[in-house]
Amino acid sequence: MPAPAHLTDRHPTVSPERLIAQLVPPPTFNDVSFDSYRPDPAEPTQAAAVGFCRRFCEEARKNREGKRKMFGKRETLPGVGLYLDGGFGVGKTHLLASMYYSLAGGSHPAAFATFGELTQLAGVFGFTECIDLLADYVVVCIDEFELDDPGNTTLISRLLSQLVERGVSIAATSNTLPEQLGEGRFAAQDFLREINTLASIFTTVRVEGPDYRHRGLPPAPEPLTDDEVAARAEGVDGATLDGFDELCDHLATMHPSRYLTLIEGVKAVYITGVHPVDDQAVALRLVALTDRLYDAGIPVVASGAKLDTVFSPEMLEGGYRKKYLRATSRLLALTAAGMEL
């Protein structure tokens, strides 16, 4: 078997056409539906959320078709908004993908994107062109909605407001209530108008419950040695093997929108020399990579520090706390899968 490849040897590019083609749910959610969602009987908000999502789809479809006027013409009705707020691993993305599939089969297209992919789409096509591109969609589904900087706040507020006016409905998931977006990350009070505009678009539905990824799972496994990781990587077809610092440096050379292409075709990721990071930029790039790995269902095997210690205590006290906790939750699920290889 050939030696494992290295992610650091890959230098992906993403064309505008590829960005549009990526506006679909990730592979791990290819077959989900409202019927396959299993609400926790102990958490009534989960079953209630399914009902809200179904009604949202009915209203979004009706509003997209518009109101019939004289001579067969139709009047465009504004889109509707649904915002699923909740902790980690309660099935919000499952429900979001179910809304996408419920609406995608009609006469209008549907889009599914992470928040970062949506802002990248606007950056590549331009603000006006991005609106024109999405104006005929029935719904835009946004996973892990979050405001990282003032520029994104203004951009997304204007973008979504204009799409709603054109009849596009918006569904989103997040770990932060709409009116609290941006808190602890920048001077959110200076952008209250934009944040309040965003909040007014949505009906907020809370989804409670424990993280399903950790049900029955042991704590983070003891890390392997560098040699053990390298030996395991050699036994897995389609695996990659990289040093942690080298991988972090490589991630800095490209926009996070390329991370999905970076891991395309990879079956498992092996990393040596993991250690805690205290640089915010490095940590946020690791979060973005973790999200792409999780979406693609790619197991992770690592040596060095335990993966639940990658983000320093200081970072877990800051404005990106929820983002780092989500990434830790996903890393533990991926490493559990990696230990079974």
Side-chain angles (χ1 to χ4, degrees):
M1 183 175 294
H6 306 289
L7 291 177
T8 52
D9 291 336
R10 295 184 169 203
H11 302 276
T13 58
V14 182
S15 67
E17 294 76 17
R18 177 65 184 269
L19 281 175
I20 296 173
Q22 288 177 185
L23 296 178
V24 296
T28 47
F29 297 95
N30 276 348
D31 302 316
V32 301
S33 67
F34 293 129
D35 290 336
S36 66
Y37 183 77
R38 296 288 178 263
D40 185 340
E43 300 291 346
T45 59
Q46 294 186 11
V50 176
F52 276 106
C53 292
R54 289 184 184 274
R55 289 190 291 275
F56 167 83
C57 290
E58 293 172 3
E59 194 170 354
R61 189 180 294 110
K62 181 181 67 175
N63 285 25
R64 178 71 277 184
E65 294 304 325
K67 184 168 64 176
R68 187 178 296 279
K69 299 175 68 177
M70 293 180 65
F71 308 112
K73 294 183 178 180
R74 288 185 177 272
E75 176 187 1
T76 299
L77 296 175
V80 292
L82 183 66
Y83 193 97
L84 298 178
D85 172 67
F88 318 108
V90 294
K92 301 189 302 296
T93 304
H94 183 131
L95 292 173
L96 189 69
S98 299
M99 286 187 276
Y100 169 90
Y101 288 121
S102 177
L103 291 167
S107 57
H108 295 271
F112 187 107
T114 65
F115 183 80
E117 288 170 341
L118 185 63
T119 56
Q120 173 69 357
L121 195 71
V124 168
F125 286 96
F127 180 79
T128 301
E129 291 79 4
C130 188
I131 292 174
D132 291 340
L133 175 71
L134 299 173
D136 191 48
Y137 280 55
V138 59
V139 68
V140 173
C141 299
I142 309 170
D143 200 22
E144 298 299 347
F145 196 104
E146 50 204 347
L147 298 179
D148 293 336
D149 60 63
N152 283 346
T153 304
T154 302
L155 170 69
I156 294 301
S157 175
R158 292 177 57 209
L159 178 68
L160 297 189
S161 296
Q162 294 198 29
L163 287 176
V164 168
E165 288 177 6
R166 295 201 186 190
V168 182
S169 293
I170 310 294
T173 71
S174 183
N175 303 309
T176 305
L177 291 170
E179 62 272 15
Q180 296 173 341
L181 289 165
E183 284 188 1
R185 304 181 186 185
F186 58 89
Q189 66 273 13
D190 295 336
F191 294 86
L192 282 178
R193 184 178 67 179
E194 288 83 0
I195 291 171
N196 288 337
T197 297
L198 286 170
S200 68
I201 291 172
F202 298 110
T203 296
T204 302
V205 174
R206 180 71 183 172
V207 188
E208 304 280 1
D211 190 335
Y212 77 90
R213 289 185 286 264
H214 296 174
R215 293 174 193 166
L217 282 181
E222 289 296 326
L224 304 172
T225 66
D226 290 355
D227 290 341
E228 287 172 329
V229 169
R232 291 194 179 203
E234 290 180 358
V236 177
D237 188 31
T240 61
L241 174 64
D242 294 275
F244 183 69
D245 287 331
E246 291 77 11
L247 179 58
C248 290
D249 290 342
H250 188 56
L251 294 178
T253 67
M254 67 190 77
H255 190 277
S257 63
R258 299 185 185 181
Y259 293 178
L260 181 61
T261 310
L262 177 70
I263 62 172
E264 194 169 47
V266 173
K267 302 302 181 185
V269 168
Y270 292 78
I271 306 172
T272 58
V274 172
H275 60 80
V277 298
D278 52 17
D279 184 303
Q280 195 100 268
V282 174
L284 290 173
R285 286 191 286 267
L286 285 173
V287 169
L289 178 64
T290 298
D291 287 342
R292 300 289 74 76
L293 291 171
Y294 181 79
D295 287 343
I298 299 175
V300 173
V301 179
S303 64
K306 289 185 177 181
L307 289 176
D308 58 357
T309 66
V310 169
F311 305 110
S312 69
E314 292 76 17
M315 288 186 169
L316 295 179
E317 295 296 325
Y320 295 101
R321 168 183 169 80
K322 291 183 177 180
K323 183 178 283 193
Y324 295 141
L325 290 175
R326 181 189 77 227
T328 299
S329 167
R330 291 180 165 186
L331 277 173
L332 293 181
L334 294 176
T335 54
M339 298 305 287
E340 296 176 359
L341 290 175

